[in-house]
Amino acid sequence: MRAINYFFSALFFLSATLGSFAQDLSYYLPTGYTYNPAIPKPKDIIYHEVGQWHVTHDRLVNYMKALSVAAPDRIKLETMGYTYEGRPQVLLIITSPANHRNLEKIRLQHLQLSDQATAATAVLDDMPAVVWIGHSIHGNEPSGANASLLTAYLLAAAQGSYIDNLLSNTVILFDPSFNPDGLQRFSTWANQHKSKNLVADPNSREFNEVWPGGRFNHYWFDLNRDWLPAVHVESQNRLRWFHWWKPNLLTDHHEQGTNATYFFQPGVPSRVNPLTPGKNQELTAALAKYHARVLDSIGSFYFTKEGYDDFYYGKGSTYPDINGAVGILFEQASSRGHLQESVNGLLSFPATIRNQFNTALSTLEGALALRKDFLAYQRDFYKQVPARAAVHPVKAYVVGAPKDQARIREFATLLNRHQIKIYPLPTSLADADFQKESAFVVPLDQPQHSLIRTIFERTSDYKDSLFYDITAWTLSLAMGLQTKELTSLPASLGAPLQLNEKTILDNGVIADLSIGSSTYALLVEWDHLYAPAALNQLLQKGVMVKVATQPFEIAVGGASRRFEYGTLLIPALQAGMGKAELERFLNGLIEKYRMVVYAVGTGYASSGVDLGSAKFMTLEKPSVALLTGSGVNATDAGEVWHLLDQRMDIAASHLEPASVKRIDLSRYNAIIMVGGNYSELDKDKIKSWVQQGGTLVVLEEAINWAVQSGISNATFKRVKSATDSTQFRAYETRDEVAGAQQVRGAILGATYDPSHPLAFGYHQKEVSLFKANRIFMEKSKNPYQTPFVYGKQPMQSGWMSKENREAAAGSAAVTVSSLGSGRVINIADNPNFRAYWLGGSKLFLNALFFGQLIDVGGARNWEE
């Protein structure tokens, strides 16, 4: 029987490539339907058959618009927002004409399921299930987006009792492209390399994109990791509509390696997040039967329960699981271009589209058949919140960011995107770590109970040692916030804060600065999240700015105030700029970055250094280059680019490693190297540049390159082997043993020296950093140049093997090397992980602004 199946599978792959490659709709569409001739077919709008070429995003949108015009009784097109590159994110709301006439009423009735007050009494009998069908969040996994042409056509044009019943009992939120910018980038690549006589050789350029490829969005981010942190505009736009409707089911159509077949969930049972209810997995398994049946009917091979998991809640297939819904991951073997060789035979682009189209249909068939089950599951998920909250020992979290309203506003904004209510800090809970103007309370007895837990909880116990993605993501640690668990709630929390993304915890308008004749200097505390952005603007404007390398106290408004390491000093008298112009410029920065600037009338400190002391060091305007291109980890580079460009308004040049040999590096005073392979980089030129005074910032694996090139003097701890050559192990366990030694992503706490320039702006006990590598540095021989160190038990959350934990204990998180007149700053881990790791961004930015100030000399040569 298996041999017969293989024969027909091979025949299926081959049939897609013989004769005319361009398949018409009869290849895809199921039998048993008639179609409304007034509805345009995809070819009428996109000018080619589905699968003949890769559809570009503009043509995809044009077709969706055409359907909404041709079938307004079934389809309403909404624009969720726009990407960084200005492409529309469209969402089709597809349902019956009768439902469209009552769409808002249906939406409000549906939301009763997720309201604790109404969930128990919600009537399910006539309530449509809400199904979100999403495609191609990775732009170079295009079969999903191309299949959306077919699904949308069928839902708009098909006629008959089944389609009428389906549309009457579902509201379909149809998202044809999760990642418009990436899809456009990849479709251009695949189409421009297509030959008339299709080339299937995997070595051909069609299947090997240039860096960074089409997987990512504009800033080279993997949007399928951004559902929870919601850093990017694409995710923010989508989340608004997700919570506007609260779907029961969401599908996420992806691609995998060419030599695979087709995957659908359930995934690996031992890797389901413990916060996901068992009923979720039961429904996933029930739905899987519909996918199996439809793929069986067309002879497509598939697999389940291996490879992929349901652990990290930041993915499209897992975020619904923590929101009372069911998320489903589909993974189709990728042709990457139009036709490619595989171990299963020739894999054509139309064949990949056909599988995705059919599982979209099986999703809708299952949603219709299991409608009441999905609705009841969502109702029960929220109805049971009070019971879950009652038995959970933590009743609320207090969250604060002393002296940094900007950081706590960012966190409050994130919670707001996920419909999490926050409350003002009661006076009874206020202390040095939690101040009313920069702290709030998050109670757990609210609809998003489970989501709050995954945002705050630290995890150390795991059923498995293998993970598809990261093992820890505690967002309060990532953002460098202080938290406190409450085992009981205060007597009264009052009303929840009314959140507005621009005014959360703003406490009114920050007062304008006035620089009068008696103003001696202006002071800016470095604690503020956006102080680096303001500093960059000042230096680009030509304003002289100094930084305090010692604490001091000075009179401000008649009272003495203490200022810490890293405080910025701006003399009121500036060469080439009068006080009035300086005042206008500073007030613009105050308004933009919501920061406080202190005016002082004297340079005499009541304690510590005076303002004229040499302990205030003049800062140089940063001129930053980021190495990007072939060999460089695109997501790591994108995180740096996003931080500098979107958050800090710092322009950075992107340099290809291979082109460095032709570039005059003297125009840059800081060069950044993220993780990657730098075999094409001219090491002698980089070395010479550092010797002449440059600051080289190397992250993760880039440290290895710098050491091997004789630029960094970092040394590494040796990790013990997990295997004993004298110990017998079953052959089948080899992948598990090797996989368990990978560091998939854990959170480690580092202690630090607050007087070191790289630690300016930090005040908490430990700085939480994200480790996803096996770079374990020894402490520097120079006792002054290991500013961040992991202690004996640095694990804060996540999973690492015993061998890796032992190597991490006592290792250096950051060291500094000197080379000639320059500095090499070695950062073992990723301080900017996925752009939400704001607790590490200060360290990284300190390296750019203060790296040249670091004194690595002393009474002896510590580097001997």
Side-chain angles (χ1 to χ4, degrees):
M1 184 68 175
R2 184 171 295 178
I4 294 174
N5 284 341
Y6 181 82
F7 169 78
F8 280 108
S9 176
L11 183 64
F12 169 71
F13 280 112
L14 189 61
S15 67
T17 66
L18 297 178
S20 174
F21 172 72
Q23 303 289 348
D24 62 22
L25 289 181
S26 64
Y27 171 72
Y28 302 104
L29 295 179
T31 59
Y33 292 102
T34 59
Y35 294 90
N36 182 350
I39 303 301
K41 298 176 181 178
K43 186 179 179 180
D44 298 333
I45 306 299
I46 67 172
Y47 309 116
H48 59 79
E49 296 287 0
V50 175
Q52 182 181 9
W53 296 89
H54 285 249
V55 70
T56 58
H57 184 261
D58 55 333
R59 293 187 181 188
L60 180 66
V61 171
N62 286 344
Y63 185 64
M64 299 303 157
K65 288 181 177 179
L67 290 180
S68 69
V69 171
D73 57 335
R74 289 189 181 184
I75 297 176
K76 180 181 181 182
L77 185 142
E78 299 281 0
T79 299
M80 294 184 286
Y82 296 86
T83 69
Y84 288 114
E85 295 178 11
R87 293 188 175 87
Q89 292 176 262
V90 299
L91 184 72
L92 277 64
I93 302 177
I94 306 175
T95 191
S96 68
N99 286 346
H100 268 298
R101 289 192 293 271
N102 296 284
L103 197 61
E104 181 62 7
K105 180 181 178 181
I106 290 172
R107 186 185 72 83
L108 293 175
Q109 288 176 338
H110 181 76
L111 291 181
Q112 292 177 0
L113 300 177
S114 55
D115 186 335
Q116 289 172 244
T118 58
T121 58
V123 179
L124 308 183
D125 291 345
D126 299 320
M127 184 181 291
V130 179
V131 183
W132 188 305
I133 299 181
H135 307 85
S136 300
I137 201 164
H138 298 141
N140 63 356
E141 299 176 5
S143 57
N146 283 264
S148 75
L149 295 161
L150 300 165
T151 312
Y153 171 72
L154 183 144
L155 293 174
Q159 297 172 323
S161 59
Y162 172 78
I163 198 74
D164 291 341
N165 187 36
L166 172 68
L167 295 179
S168 294
N169 287 282
T170 58
V171 173
I172 303 164
L173 306 177
F174 194 79
D175 194 335
S177 173
F178 277 145
N179 181 4
D181 295 347
L183 181 70
Q184 186 72 20
R185 190 182 315 127
F186 179 74
S187 61
T188 300
W189 174 269
N191 289 336
Q192 72 182 14
H193 290 96
K194 178 189 175 186
S195 299
K196 181 185 73 170
N197 299 292
L198 297 181
V199 177
D201 177 7
N203 298 310
S204 187
R205 198 164 189 258
E206 180 180 355
F207 312 110
N208 297 280
E209 305 165 75
V210 295
W211 193 96
R215 179 182 179 90
F216 312 115
N217 77 340
H218 176 78
Y219 281 100
W220 313 329
F221 272 75
D222 186 336
L223 289 176
N224 196 41
R225 306 299 187 270
D226 196 45
W227 285 76
L228 186 60
V231 169
H232 296 282
V233 293
E234 296 94 338
S235 304
Q236 294 165 15
N237 294 336
R238 190 184 313 115
L239 279 177
R240 280 193 293 270
W241 281 88
F242 180 94
H243 288 293
W244 186 247
W245 273 99
K246 300 277 190 184
N248 300 106
L249 176 63
L250 184 147
T251 62
D252 193 10
H253 289 260
H254 285 253
E255 290 183 0
Q256 56 187 325
T258 303
N259 291 324
T261 56
Y262 195 89
F263 170 84
F264 55 86
Q265 287 176 311
V268 179
S270 60
R271 297 186 220 158
V272 176
N273 195 296
L275 289 175
T276 299
K279 185 65 176 179
N280 173 285
Q281 293 298 291
E282 291 177 18
L283 286 170
T284 299
L287 192 62
K289 296 177 181 178
Y290 294 87
H291 308 320
R293 186 162 60 238
V294 73
L295 293 174
D296 287 343
S297 71
I298 60 174
S300 292
F301 287 169
Y302 55 85
F303 65 98
T304 64
K305 299 181 288 294
E306 59 180 290
Y308 301 94
D309 62 40
D310 273 330
F311 193 74
Y312 170 53
Y313 284 127
K315 298 186 295 183
S317 59
T318 50
Y319 183 76
D321 297 343
I322 199 74
N323 281 277
V326 175
I328 299 295
L329 171 67
F330 296 119
E331 292 276 356
Q332 162 65 46
S334 180
S335 67
R336 274 297 184 267
H338 294 84
L339 180 70
Q340 189 175 171
E341 297 168 5
S342 81
V343 297
N344 295 308
L346 291 172
L347 178 60
S348 72
F349 188 37
T352 69
I353 295 171
R354 191 186 193 202
N355 284 342
Q356 300 278 35
F357 169 58
N358 274 279
T359 51
L361 299 187
S362 62
T363 296
L364 294 173
E365 181 186 3
L368 177 61
L370 302 170
R371 176 182 64 86
K372 285 190 177 180
D373 298 277
F374 281 109
L375 293 170
Y377 168 66
Q378 188 172 68
R379 177 198 63 195
D380 293 344
F381 180 90
Y382 288 103
K383 186 174 69 173
Q384 294 163 6
V385 164
R388 294 202 299 271
V391 298
H392 189 62
V394 179
K395 303 307 177 186
Y397 289 96
V398 182
V399 193
K403 303 175 73 172
D404 192 357
Q405 280 192 333
R407 189 181 309 276
I408 200 68
R409 281 201 302 274
E410 290 286 346
F411 190 59
T413 299
L414 183 151
L415 298 180
N416 185 42
R417 290 188 178 118
H418 296 293
Q419 307 275 294
I420 294 172
K421 297 177 182 178
I422 66 175
Y423 291 78
L425 183 74
T427 303
S428 61
L429 295 176
D431 57 25
D433 291 330
F434 303 100
Q435 301 158 5
K436 289 185 69 67
E437 67 273 11
S438 59
F440 54 78
V441 178
V442 186
L444 273 83
D445 189 1
Q446 57 174 299
Q448 294 293 56
H449 168 89
S450 296
L451 189 57
I452 294 168
R453 288 179 58 182
T454 200
I455 285 173
F456 283 95
E457 286 184 347
R458 306 184 187 194
T459 308
S460 58
D461 295 326
Y462 297 84
K463 293 181 179 180
D464 207 327
S465 59
L466 301 180
F467 299 89
Y468 185 74
D469 200 72
I470 60 178
T471 68
W473 53 87
T474 311
L475 297 183
S476 52
L477 290 176
M479 299 184 75
L481 301 171
Q482 305 276 33
T483 60
K484 179 167 60 177
E485 297 178 353
L486 299 182
T487 56
S488 61
L489 287 175
S492 175
L493 285 175
L497 290 169
Q498 297 301 309
L499 303 184
N500 178 298
E501 292 189 5
K502 294 184 178 179
T503 60
I504 291 172
L505 300 174
D506 213 17
N507 293 327
V509 178
I510 296 177
D512 285 345
L513 174 72
S514 177
I515 302 178
S517 59
S518 62
T519 303
Y520 182 84
L522 298 311
L523 300 174
V524 177
E525 292 176 308
W526 193 242
D527 311 67
H528 194 281
L529 175 64
Y530 293 108
L535 172 58
N536 180 65
Q537 296 293 312
L538 288 163
L539 295 175
Q540 297 297 332
K541 184 73 171 178
V543 176
M544 175 187 282
V545 184
K546 298 187 176 188
V547 62
T549 62
Q550 294 284 336
F552 61 96
E553 292 186 19
I554 198 167
V556 177
S560 181
R561 183 181 180 88
R562 179 180 171 85
F563 291 88
E564 300 293 343
Y565 299 101
T567 298
L568 302 180
L569 166 64
I570 307 166
L573 295 177
Q574 294 279 334
M577 180 181 291
K579 287 187 175 182
E581 183 182 356
L582 179 62
E583 179 183 294
R584 285 194 299 273
F585 188 69
L586 282 171
N587 277 320
L589 297 181
I590 290 169
E591 175 63 25
K592 182 174 185 179
Y593 299 118
R594 315 305 295 162
M595 52 186 284
V596 178
V597 178
Y598 299 93
V600 296
T602 179
Y604 184 74
S606 57
S607 176
V609 294
D610 297 324
L611 301 193
S613 168
K615 298 298 183 181
F616 286 87
M617 304 185 73
T618 302
L619 295 172
E620 182 179 347
K621 178 174 67 175
S623 181
V624 180
L626 170 65
L627 294 187
T628 62
S630 180
V632 178
N633 185 307
T635 55
D636 287 4
E639 289 154 9
V640 172
W641 182 20
H642 181 274
L643 172 69
L644 298 180
D645 191 40
Q646 283 290 323
R647 290 198 187 276
M648 298 300 163
D649 295 323
I650 298 174
S653 299
H654 297 173
L655 306 182
E656 290 270 352
S659 68
V660 164
K661 63 183 67 177
R662 302 188 299 271
I663 294 173
D664 178 10
L665 297 181
S666 64
R667 66 183 297 158
Y668 312 110
N669 53 28
I671 292 178
I672 304 162
M673 297 176 64
V674 300
N677 180 352
Y678 291 91
S679 58
E680 297 183 1
L681 181 60
D682 188 334
K683 63 182 180 182
D684 293 329
K685 191 161 187 179
I686 294 292
K687 186 173 185 178
S688 176
W689 173 81
V690 175
Q691 289 172 326
Q692 293 172 30
T695 298
L696 181 66
V697 183
V698 286
L699 310 180
E700 301 188 276
E701 295 85 2
I703 302 173
N704 289 328
W705 178 91
V707 170
Q708 294 165 6
S709 301
I711 296 172
S712 170
N713 66 357
T715 57
F716 304 99
K717 299 179 71 173
R718 185 174 181 178
V719 184
K720 294 179 181 179
S721 174
T723 58
D724 183 342
S725 60
T726 64
Q727 182 182 10
F728 170 80
R729 285 184 182 270
Y731 178 76
E732 67 178 0
T733 66
R734 67 197 187 282
D735 289 339
E736 293 179 14
V737 173
Q741 293 306 306
Q742 301 301 311
V743 181
R744 298 296 297 177
I747 305 174
L748 277 61
T751 58
Y752 58 94
D753 172 8
S755 70
H756 196 286
L758 293 181
F760 286 176
Y762 286 112
H763 302 290
Q764 63 265 42
K765 183 179 178 181
E766 291 183 322
V767 174
S768 300
L769 297 173
F770 186 83
K771 176 165 278 297
N773 61 49
R774 301 186 79 198
I775 305 296
F776 301 104
M777 291 194 297
E778 298 277 9
K779 296 174 186 176
S780 173
K781 293 180 180 179
N782 184 332
Y784 306 109
Q785 300 309 332
T786 307
F788 290 79
V789 179
Y790 293 127
K792 293 182 179 179
Q793 294 182 325
M795 287 283 292
Q796 293 181 326
S797 187
W799 193 92
M800 289 201 306
S801 69
K802 176 177 178 290
E803 295 78 14
N804 287 323
R805 291 197 307 270
E806 290 176 351
S811 66
V814 182
T815 65
V816 182
S817 307
S818 65
L819 185 65
S821 301
R823 306 287 178 267
V824 181
I825 299 173
N826 311 289
I827 305 177
D829 300 309
N830 186 351
N832 306 308
F833 182 67
R834 292 182 180 168
Y836 66 84
W837 216 269
L838 300 183
S841 60
K842 188 76 73 177
L843 159 62
F844 177 77
L845 293 163
N846 285 350
L848 301 184
F849 285 104
F850 307 143
Q852 293 177 318
L853 305 182
I854 300 172
D855 179 8
V856 293
R860 56 170 289 183
N861 184 359
W862 298 104
E863 299 180 11
E864 291 179 351

